[in-house]
Amino acid sequence: MNFEYTEEQKAVQAAARDFARNELFPGVIERDTHQKFPAEQIKKMGELGFMGMMVDPQYSGGGMDTISYVLAMEEISKIDASASVCMSVNNSLVCWGLEEFGTAEQKEKYLKPLAAGSIIGAFCLSEPEAGSDATSQRTTAEDKGDHYILNGTKNWITNGNSASVYIVIAQTHPEKRHKGINALIVEKGMPGFVVGKKEDKMGIRGSDTHSLMFTDVKIPKTSRIGEEGFGFTFAMTTLNGGRIGIAAQALGIACGAYELALKYARERKAFGKLLCEHQAIQFKLSEMATKIDAARLLVHKAAYLKDYNKDFVKAAAMAKLFASQIAQEVTTEAVQIHGGYGYVKEFHVERLMRDAKITQIYEGTTEIQKLVISRELIK
Ligand code: COS
């Protein structure tokens, strides 16, 4: 076993760290307060190759491995989880899904600009009545011969307004249940496609989360991903990989909060000595650091399995389950170590604590991860 990163992986990690500190850190509180999408920063992330990291260079991607991707995700998430969720969705749901299952034309038309970061993508599975219960899709894609007519509503869509390309999951043959579902590529501006209200969220407030409405949107069959009825398997398979990105995000949020707490504990005095000289604080820091290391091992194991084309479904679900749980615990302790300062915005840890919660909900709740893991255990 080798726990060392390659020179290339270290370079990616350092580049992501520098970018996060220099470009994302300034303004992160303001963007959170005013729910401002980091559009300029995401554009720069595209130019630096962070939006299509694992995509083959022939489609304008970085051709990097999943370890490099999770290292970058961790660094960006330490500073700005709103930027990192945009990055995660674009990389591991939209680009990966298109590269793996798209046609040559779809890759040329959509994957290239998405991987280059010149446009952003969105992945649209959740509905008002279908979150965890993803087979119960109410959005319909009626088969009209050479095209589909799309009708329905999608909810809580990351990059909802800022995206140009949307992968929309919809039901074509309800009697076939999940085998009647299709994944369709929808472009912003298509007649009948309306971006709905922006959600006012507890955390990741800089990210752009919207509902989407489709009324008689005409989608050519050439925009379907995979064979007729492949849509649900497409969504599940894509989410398996997406969970590695969100696990890395949770890890980064935890680590960002821990680093701030450690710095604070080294500087602030109470009862005549530094906080870090008090055993109560030392024990907290020890537990936080141990949890972070354990989460990182799970995240990297899942990434490693994916890179070596081994079955990573259980590993990805375990990584997301654990990393999102410790993100909650570590960020809460980071606020505690900061005391009153931790409860105000300028010390950053309260934001990280709010941001951590979503990692237990999106791309499969904690309960769904347990379901996925247990199915893998007993199958
Ligand atoms: N990877 C690949 N395929 C999977 C899968 C996975 N993790 N989980 C299920 N599938 C496949 C099954 O193999 C089955 O296909 P076949 O009939 O061809 O074998 C199909 O999907 C339906 O599975 P199942 O019958 O188990 O469906 P259920 O409704 O019982 O459960 C769960 C499906 C709960 C696993 C699924 O709905 C799910 O993952 N929900 C969470 C969705 C999610 O993450 N939502 C967040 C929104 S995106 S931010």
Short mmCIF file of all heavy atoms in Angstrom, two decimals, residues 16-17 19-21 24 28 45 69-88 204 244-257 259-260 327 331 348 351-353 355-356 359 362:
data_model
loop_
_atom_site.label_atom_id
_atom_site.label_comp_id
_atom_site.label_asym_id
_atom_site.label_seq_id
_atom_site.Cartn_x
_atom_site.Cartn_y
_atom_site.Cartn_z
N ALA A 16 -5.27 23.81 -6.19
CA ALA A 16 -6.63 24.00 -5.65
C ALA A 16 -6.58 24.80 -4.35
O ALA A 16 -7.41 25.69 -4.11
CB ALA A 16 -7.30 22.65 -5.42
N ARG A 17 -5.58 24.49 -3.52
CA ARG A 17 -5.44 25.20 -2.24
C ARG A 17 -5.19 26.69 -2.49
O ARG A 17 -5.82 27.55 -1.89
CB ARG A 17 -4.29 24.58 -1.46
CG ARG A 17 -4.11 25.13 -0.06
CD ARG A 17 -3.04 24.38 0.68
NE ARG A 17 -3.41 22.98 0.90
CZ ARG A 17 -2.54 22.00 1.13
NH1 ARG A 17 -1.25 22.24 1.14
NH2 ARG A 17 -2.96 20.77 1.35
N PHE A 19 -5.84 28.44 -5.18
CA PHE A 19 -7.01 29.08 -5.78
C PHE A 19 -8.06 29.39 -4.71
O PHE A 19 -8.62 30.48 -4.65
CB PHE A 19 -7.62 28.19 -6.87
CG PHE A 19 -8.83 28.81 -7.50
CD1 PHE A 19 -8.69 29.78 -8.48
CD2 PHE A 19 -10.11 28.47 -7.06
CE1 PHE A 19 -9.81 30.39 -9.03
CE2 PHE A 19 -11.23 29.08 -7.59
CZ PHE A 19 -11.08 30.05 -8.58
N ALA A 20 -8.29 28.40 -3.84
CA ALA A 20 -9.32 28.59 -2.80
C ALA A 20 -8.95 29.74 -1.87
O ALA A 20 -9.79 30.59 -1.55
CB ALA A 20 -9.49 27.29 -2.01
N ARG A 21 -7.68 29.80 -1.48
CA ARG A 21 -7.26 30.86 -0.55
C ARG A 21 -7.27 32.24 -1.21
O ARG A 21 -7.68 33.22 -0.60
CB ARG A 21 -5.85 30.56 -0.02
CG ARG A 21 -5.88 29.44 1.00
CD ARG A 21 -4.50 29.17 1.53
NE ARG A 21 -4.53 28.04 2.46
CZ ARG A 21 -3.46 27.40 2.87
NH1 ARG A 21 -2.28 27.75 2.47
NH2 ARG A 21 -3.58 26.38 3.71
N LEU A 24 -11.25 32.32 -3.71
CA LEU A 24 -12.58 32.03 -3.13
C LEU A 24 -12.75 32.64 -1.74
O LEU A 24 -13.85 33.05 -1.38
CB LEU A 24 -12.80 30.51 -3.06
CG LEU A 24 -13.02 29.82 -4.40
CD1 LEU A 24 -13.00 28.30 -4.24
CD2 LEU A 24 -14.34 30.24 -5.03
N VAL A 28 -16.24 35.27 0.47
CA VAL A 28 -17.06 34.07 0.72
C VAL A 28 -18.20 34.37 1.71
O VAL A 28 -19.32 33.86 1.55
CB VAL A 28 -16.18 32.86 1.16
CG1 VAL A 28 -15.53 33.07 2.52
CG2 VAL A 28 -17.01 31.57 1.16
N MET A 45 -12.22 28.70 -12.38
CA MET A 45 -12.00 27.28 -12.08
C MET A 45 -12.04 26.46 -13.37
O MET A 45 -11.29 25.50 -13.53
CB MET A 45 -13.05 26.77 -11.08
CG MET A 45 -12.74 27.21 -9.65
SD MET A 45 -14.12 27.01 -8.51
CE MET A 45 -14.23 25.24 -8.42
N TYR A 69 -8.96 14.48 -8.21
CA TYR A 69 -10.26 15.16 -8.10
C TYR A 69 -10.67 15.34 -6.64
O TYR A 69 -11.06 16.43 -6.22
CB TYR A 69 -11.29 14.35 -8.88
CG TYR A 69 -12.73 14.75 -8.68
CD1 TYR A 69 -13.16 16.04 -8.95
CD2 TYR A 69 -13.67 13.82 -8.22
CE1 TYR A 69 -14.48 16.40 -8.76
CE2 TYR A 69 -14.99 14.17 -8.05
CZ TYR A 69 -15.39 15.46 -8.31
OH TYR A 69 -16.70 15.81 -8.13
N VAL A 70 -10.56 14.27 -5.83
CA VAL A 70 -11.00 14.42 -4.42
C VAL A 70 -10.06 15.34 -3.64
O VAL A 70 -10.50 16.04 -2.72
CB VAL A 70 -11.22 13.06 -3.70
CG1 VAL A 70 -12.36 12.28 -4.33
CG2 VAL A 70 -9.97 12.22 -3.60
N LEU A 71 -8.79 15.34 -4.01
CA LEU A 71 -7.86 16.26 -3.35
C LEU A 71 -8.26 17.71 -3.65
O LEU A 71 -8.28 18.55 -2.74
CB LEU A 71 -6.42 16.01 -3.82
CG LEU A 71 -5.76 14.73 -3.30
CD1 LEU A 71 -4.41 14.51 -4.00
CD2 LEU A 71 -5.56 14.78 -1.79
N ALA A 72 -8.59 17.97 -4.90
CA ALA A 72 -9.01 19.33 -5.27
C ALA A 72 -10.34 19.67 -4.61
O ALA A 72 -10.52 20.78 -4.08
CB ALA A 72 -9.13 19.45 -6.79
N MET A 73 -11.28 18.74 -4.62
CA MET A 73 -12.58 18.97 -3.98
C MET A 73 -12.40 19.32 -2.50
O MET A 73 -13.07 20.20 -1.96
CB MET A 73 -13.47 17.72 -4.09
CG MET A 73 -14.31 17.61 -5.34
SD MET A 73 -15.52 18.93 -5.54
CE MET A 73 -16.59 18.69 -4.13
N GLU A 74 -11.51 18.59 -1.83
CA GLU A 74 -11.29 18.85 -0.40
C GLU A 74 -10.78 20.27 -0.18
O GLU A 74 -11.28 20.99 0.69
CB GLU A 74 -10.30 17.81 0.18
CG GLU A 74 -10.09 18.01 1.66
CD GLU A 74 -9.10 17.03 2.30
OE1 GLU A 74 -8.83 15.96 1.72
OE2 GLU A 74 -8.59 17.36 3.39
N GLU A 75 -9.81 20.66 -0.99
CA GLU A 75 -9.22 22.01 -0.81
C GLU A 75 -10.24 23.12 -1.09
O GLU A 75 -10.33 24.08 -0.34
CB GLU A 75 -8.00 22.18 -1.73
CG GLU A 75 -6.82 21.30 -1.35
CD GLU A 75 -6.35 21.50 0.08
OE1 GLU A 75 -6.40 22.64 0.59
OE2 GLU A 75 -5.95 20.50 0.70
N ILE A 76 -11.00 22.96 -2.16
CA ILE A 76 -11.99 24.00 -2.50
C ILE A 76 -13.07 24.05 -1.41
O ILE A 76 -13.51 25.12 -0.99
CB ILE A 76 -12.63 23.72 -3.89
CG1 ILE A 76 -11.58 23.62 -5.00
CG2 ILE A 76 -13.73 24.74 -4.24
CD1 ILE A 76 -11.02 24.89 -5.53
N SER A 77 -13.46 22.87 -0.91
CA SER A 77 -14.54 22.80 0.09
C SER A 77 -14.12 23.35 1.44
O SER A 77 -14.97 23.77 2.23
CB SER A 77 -15.01 21.35 0.26
OG SER A 77 -15.38 20.80 -0.98
N LYS A 78 -12.84 23.33 1.73
CA LYS A 78 -12.38 23.91 3.01
C LYS A 78 -12.76 25.37 3.09
O LYS A 78 -12.99 25.91 4.16
CB LYS A 78 -10.84 23.82 3.08
CG LYS A 78 -10.29 22.50 3.51
CD LYS A 78 -8.77 22.62 3.59
CE LYS A 78 -8.14 21.26 3.75
NZ LYS A 78 -6.66 21.35 3.73
N ILE A 79 -12.77 26.04 1.94
CA ILE A 79 -13.00 27.48 1.90
C ILE A 79 -14.43 27.80 1.46
O ILE A 79 -15.09 28.65 2.03
CB ILE A 79 -12.01 28.16 0.93
CG1 ILE A 79 -10.56 27.84 1.30
CG2 ILE A 79 -12.26 29.66 0.84
CD1 ILE A 79 -9.99 28.55 2.49
N ASP A 80 -14.91 27.14 0.39
CA ASP A 80 -16.20 27.54 -0.17
C ASP A 80 -16.97 26.32 -0.71
O ASP A 80 -16.77 25.92 -1.87
CB ASP A 80 -15.98 28.58 -1.28
CG ASP A 80 -17.29 29.20 -1.76
OD1 ASP A 80 -18.36 28.65 -1.44
OD2 ASP A 80 -17.24 30.23 -2.46
N ALA A 81 -17.85 25.79 0.12
CA ALA A 81 -18.61 24.60 -0.28
C ALA A 81 -19.65 24.92 -1.36
O ALA A 81 -20.11 24.01 -2.06
CB ALA A 81 -19.29 23.98 0.94
N SER A 82 -19.99 26.20 -1.50
CA SER A 82 -20.93 26.57 -2.57
C SER A 82 -20.27 26.41 -3.93
O SER A 82 -20.89 25.95 -4.89
CB SER A 82 -21.40 28.01 -2.40
OG SER A 82 -22.13 28.14 -1.21
N ALA A 83 -18.99 26.81 -4.01
CA ALA A 83 -18.25 26.63 -5.27
C ALA A 83 -18.00 25.14 -5.51
O ALA A 83 -18.08 24.66 -6.64
CB ALA A 83 -16.93 27.39 -5.22
N SER A 84 -17.72 24.40 -4.44
CA SER A 84 -17.34 23.00 -4.65
C SER A 84 -18.52 22.13 -5.05
O SER A 84 -18.34 21.13 -5.74
CB SER A 84 -16.62 22.42 -3.43
OG SER A 84 -17.49 22.16 -2.37
N VAL A 85 -19.75 22.50 -4.66
CA VAL A 85 -20.88 21.66 -5.10
C VAL A 85 -21.12 21.87 -6.59
O VAL A 85 -21.45 20.93 -7.32
CB VAL A 85 -22.17 21.87 -4.28
CG1 VAL A 85 -22.81 23.24 -4.48
CG2 VAL A 85 -23.18 20.79 -4.62
N CYS A 86 -20.90 23.10 -7.06
CA CYS A 86 -21.02 23.37 -8.50
C CYS A 86 -19.98 22.53 -9.25
O CYS A 86 -20.28 21.88 -10.26
CB CYS A 86 -20.80 24.87 -8.74
SG CYS A 86 -20.75 25.31 -10.46
N MET A 87 -18.78 22.51 -8.70
CA MET A 87 -17.69 21.73 -9.30
C MET A 87 -17.99 20.23 -9.27
O MET A 87 -17.79 19.52 -10.26
CB MET A 87 -16.42 22.04 -8.48
CG MET A 87 -15.21 21.20 -8.79
SD MET A 87 -13.84 21.77 -7.73
CE MET A 87 -12.74 20.37 -7.88
N SER A 88 -18.52 19.76 -8.17
CA SER A 88 -18.80 18.33 -8.02
C SER A 88 -19.88 17.88 -9.02
O SER A 88 -19.73 16.86 -9.70
CB SER A 88 -19.24 18.02 -6.59
OG SER A 88 -19.53 16.67 -6.45
N ILE A 204 -24.71 26.27 2.05
CA ILE A 204 -24.25 26.42 0.66
C ILE A 204 -25.07 27.50 -0.06
O ILE A 204 -25.57 27.30 -1.17
CB ILE A 204 -24.22 25.07 -0.11
CG1 ILE A 204 -25.54 24.32 -0.08
CG2 ILE A 204 -23.08 24.18 0.36
CD1 ILE A 204 -25.67 23.27 -1.20
N ILE A 244 -18.75 10.14 -4.32
CA ILE A 244 -17.33 10.31 -3.95
C ILE A 244 -17.02 11.82 -3.87
O ILE A 244 -16.32 12.27 -2.96
CB ILE A 244 -16.40 9.60 -4.96
CG1 ILE A 244 -16.73 8.11 -5.03
CG2 ILE A 244 -14.94 9.83 -4.58
CD1 ILE A 244 -15.91 7.32 -6.06
N GLY A 245 -17.56 12.56 -4.82
CA GLY A 245 -17.34 14.02 -4.82
C GLY A 245 -17.94 14.67 -3.59
O GLY A 245 -17.31 15.53 -2.96
N ILE A 246 -19.16 14.27 -3.24
CA ILE A 246 -19.81 14.88 -2.06
C ILE A 246 -19.12 14.43 -0.78
O ILE A 246 -18.99 15.21 0.18
CB ILE A 246 -21.32 14.55 -2.04
CG1 ILE A 246 -22.01 15.10 -3.29
CG2 ILE A 246 -22.00 15.11 -0.77
CD1 ILE A 246 -21.86 16.59 -3.53
N ALA A 247 -18.64 13.21 -0.74
CA ALA A 247 -17.86 12.75 0.43
C ALA A 247 -16.62 13.62 0.58
O ALA A 247 -16.26 14.04 1.70
CB ALA A 247 -17.49 11.28 0.26
N ALA A 248 -15.96 13.91 -0.54
CA ALA A 248 -14.76 14.77 -0.49
C ALA A 248 -15.14 16.18 -0.07
O ALA A 248 -14.38 16.86 0.64
CB ALA A 248 -14.08 14.79 -1.86
N GLN A 249 -16.32 16.62 -0.48
CA GLN A 249 -16.78 17.94 -0.05
C GLN A 249 -16.98 17.97 1.47
O GLN A 249 -16.53 18.90 2.16
CB GLN A 249 -18.11 18.29 -0.74
CG GLN A 249 -18.60 19.67 -0.35
CD GLN A 249 -20.01 19.95 -0.81
OE1 GLN A 249 -20.89 19.10 -0.71
NE2 GLN A 249 -20.23 21.15 -1.31
N ALA A 250 -17.65 16.95 2.00
CA ALA A 250 -17.89 16.87 3.44
C ALA A 250 -16.56 16.84 4.19
O ALA A 250 -16.39 17.53 5.22
CB ALA A 250 -18.72 15.63 3.76
N LEU A 251 -15.62 16.07 3.68
CA LEU A 251 -14.29 16.00 4.28
C LEU A 251 -13.64 17.38 4.31
O LEU A 251 -13.07 17.79 5.33
CB LEU A 251 -13.45 15.01 3.45
CG LEU A 251 -11.96 14.94 3.74
CD1 LEU A 251 -11.70 14.44 5.15
CD2 LEU A 251 -11.27 14.03 2.71
N GLY A 252 -13.74 18.09 3.19
CA GLY A 252 -13.14 19.43 3.11
C GLY A 252 -13.79 20.41 4.08
O GLY A 252 -13.09 21.19 4.74
N ILE A 253 -15.11 20.34 4.20
CA ILE A 253 -15.82 21.23 5.14
C ILE A 253 -15.32 20.95 6.57
O ILE A 253 -15.01 21.87 7.33
CB ILE A 253 -17.35 21.03 5.03
CG1 ILE A 253 -17.86 21.49 3.66
CG2 ILE A 253 -18.07 21.77 6.16
CD1 ILE A 253 -19.32 21.13 3.37
N ALA A 254 -15.24 19.66 6.91
CA ALA A 254 -14.76 19.26 8.25
C ALA A 254 -13.34 19.77 8.47
O ALA A 254 -13.02 20.36 9.52
CB ALA A 254 -14.83 17.75 8.40
N CYS A 255 -12.50 19.55 7.49
CA CYS A 255 -11.09 19.91 7.63
C CYS A 255 -10.91 21.42 7.71
O CYS A 255 -10.08 21.91 8.48
CB CYS A 255 -10.32 19.31 6.45
SG CYS A 255 -8.60 19.18 6.79
N GLY A 256 -11.69 22.15 6.93
CA GLY A 256 -11.62 23.61 6.97
C GLY A 256 -11.96 24.12 8.36
O GLY A 256 -11.27 24.99 8.92
N ALA A 257 -13.01 23.55 8.96
CA ALA A 257 -13.43 23.98 10.30
C ALA A 257 -12.39 23.58 11.35
O ALA A 257 -12.07 24.35 12.27
CB ALA A 257 -14.79 23.36 10.63
N GLU A 259 -9.13 23.16 10.88
CA GLU A 259 -7.93 24.01 10.76
C GLU A 259 -8.15 25.37 11.42
O GLU A 259 -7.25 25.91 12.06
CB GLU A 259 -7.54 24.16 9.28
CG GLU A 259 -6.91 22.89 8.73
CD GLU A 259 -6.58 22.95 7.25
OE1 GLU A 259 -6.79 24.01 6.62
OE2 GLU A 259 -6.12 21.92 6.71
N LEU A 260 -9.36 25.91 11.25
CA LEU A 260 -9.66 27.20 11.89
C LEU A 260 -9.67 27.06 13.41
O LEU A 260 -9.17 27.93 14.12
CB LEU A 260 -11.02 27.72 11.40
CG LEU A 260 -11.07 28.22 9.95
CD1 LEU A 260 -12.51 28.44 9.51
CD2 LEU A 260 -10.27 29.52 9.79
N ALA A 327 -18.54 15.53 9.31
CA ALA A 327 -18.56 16.96 8.96
C ALA A 327 -19.49 17.70 9.93
O ALA A 327 -19.19 18.80 10.39
CB ALA A 327 -19.01 17.17 7.52
N THR A 331 -17.60 20.24 12.55
CA THR A 331 -17.92 21.67 12.42
C THR A 331 -18.60 22.18 13.70
O THR A 331 -18.36 23.32 14.12
CB THR A 331 -18.82 21.96 11.19
OG1 THR A 331 -19.99 21.14 11.26
CG2 THR A 331 -18.10 21.70 9.88
N HIS A 348 -16.11 32.31 10.27
CA HIS A 348 -16.30 31.28 9.23
C HIS A 348 -16.86 29.94 9.69
O HIS A 348 -17.44 29.22 8.88
CB HIS A 348 -14.98 31.01 8.46
CG HIS A 348 -14.50 32.19 7.69
ND1 HIS A 348 -14.97 32.51 6.45
CD2 HIS A 348 -13.59 33.14 8.03
CE1 HIS A 348 -14.37 33.62 6.02
NE2 HIS A 348 -13.54 34.03 6.97
N ARG A 351 -20.60 29.16 9.25
CA ARG A 351 -21.00 28.87 7.87
C ARG A 351 -20.67 27.42 7.53
O ARG A 351 -21.50 26.70 6.95
CB ARG A 351 -20.28 29.81 6.89
CG ARG A 351 -20.74 29.62 5.45
CD ARG A 351 -19.95 30.43 4.45
NE ARG A 351 -18.61 29.92 4.23
CZ ARG A 351 -17.51 30.45 4.71
NH1 ARG A 351 -17.56 31.55 5.43
NH2 ARG A 351 -16.33 29.89 4.49
N LEU A 352 -19.49 26.98 7.92
CA LEU A 352 -19.10 25.60 7.62
C LEU A 352 -20.04 24.62 8.32
O LEU A 352 -20.40 23.57 7.76
CB LEU A 352 -17.64 25.36 8.04
CG LEU A 352 -16.62 26.13 7.16
CD1 LEU A 352 -15.26 26.20 7.84
CD2 LEU A 352 -16.50 25.50 5.78
N MET A 353 -20.49 24.98 9.52
CA MET A 353 -21.44 24.11 10.24
C MET A 353 -22.77 24.04 9.49
O MET A 353 -23.36 22.97 9.33
CB MET A 353 -21.65 24.66 11.66
CG MET A 353 -22.55 23.83 12.52
SD MET A 353 -22.66 24.55 14.17
CE MET A 353 -24.21 23.86 14.68
N ASP A 355 -23.12 24.63 6.24
CA ASP A 355 -22.85 23.96 4.96
C ASP A 355 -22.78 22.44 5.13
O ASP A 355 -23.16 21.69 4.23
CB ASP A 355 -21.52 24.46 4.36
CG ASP A 355 -21.60 25.88 3.83
OD1 ASP A 355 -22.72 26.44 3.76
OD2 ASP A 355 -20.54 26.44 3.48
N ALA A 356 -22.26 22.00 6.28
CA ALA A 356 -22.05 20.56 6.48
C ALA A 356 -23.36 19.78 6.38
O ALA A 356 -23.38 18.66 5.86
CB ALA A 356 -21.41 20.32 7.84
N THR A 359 -24.59 17.85 3.22
CA THR A 359 -23.86 16.66 2.73
C THR A 359 -24.51 15.37 3.25
O THR A 359 -24.24 14.30 2.74
CB THR A 359 -22.37 16.70 3.11
OG1 THR A 359 -22.22 16.65 4.53
CG2 THR A 359 -21.69 17.94 2.56
N TYR A 362 -28.02 15.68 0.21
CA TYR A 362 -28.05 15.55 -1.27
C TYR A 362 -27.20 14.39 -1.79
O TYR A 362 -26.37 13.87 -1.08
CB TYR A 362 -27.79 16.86 -2.00
CG TYR A 362 -26.54 17.67 -1.79
CD1 TYR A 362 -25.35 17.15 -1.30
CD2 TYR A 362 -26.55 19.02 -2.14
CE1 TYR A 362 -24.22 17.94 -1.17
CE2 TYR A 362 -25.42 19.82 -2.01
CZ TYR A 362 -24.26 19.25 -1.52
OH TYR A 362 -23.16 20.03 -1.40
#
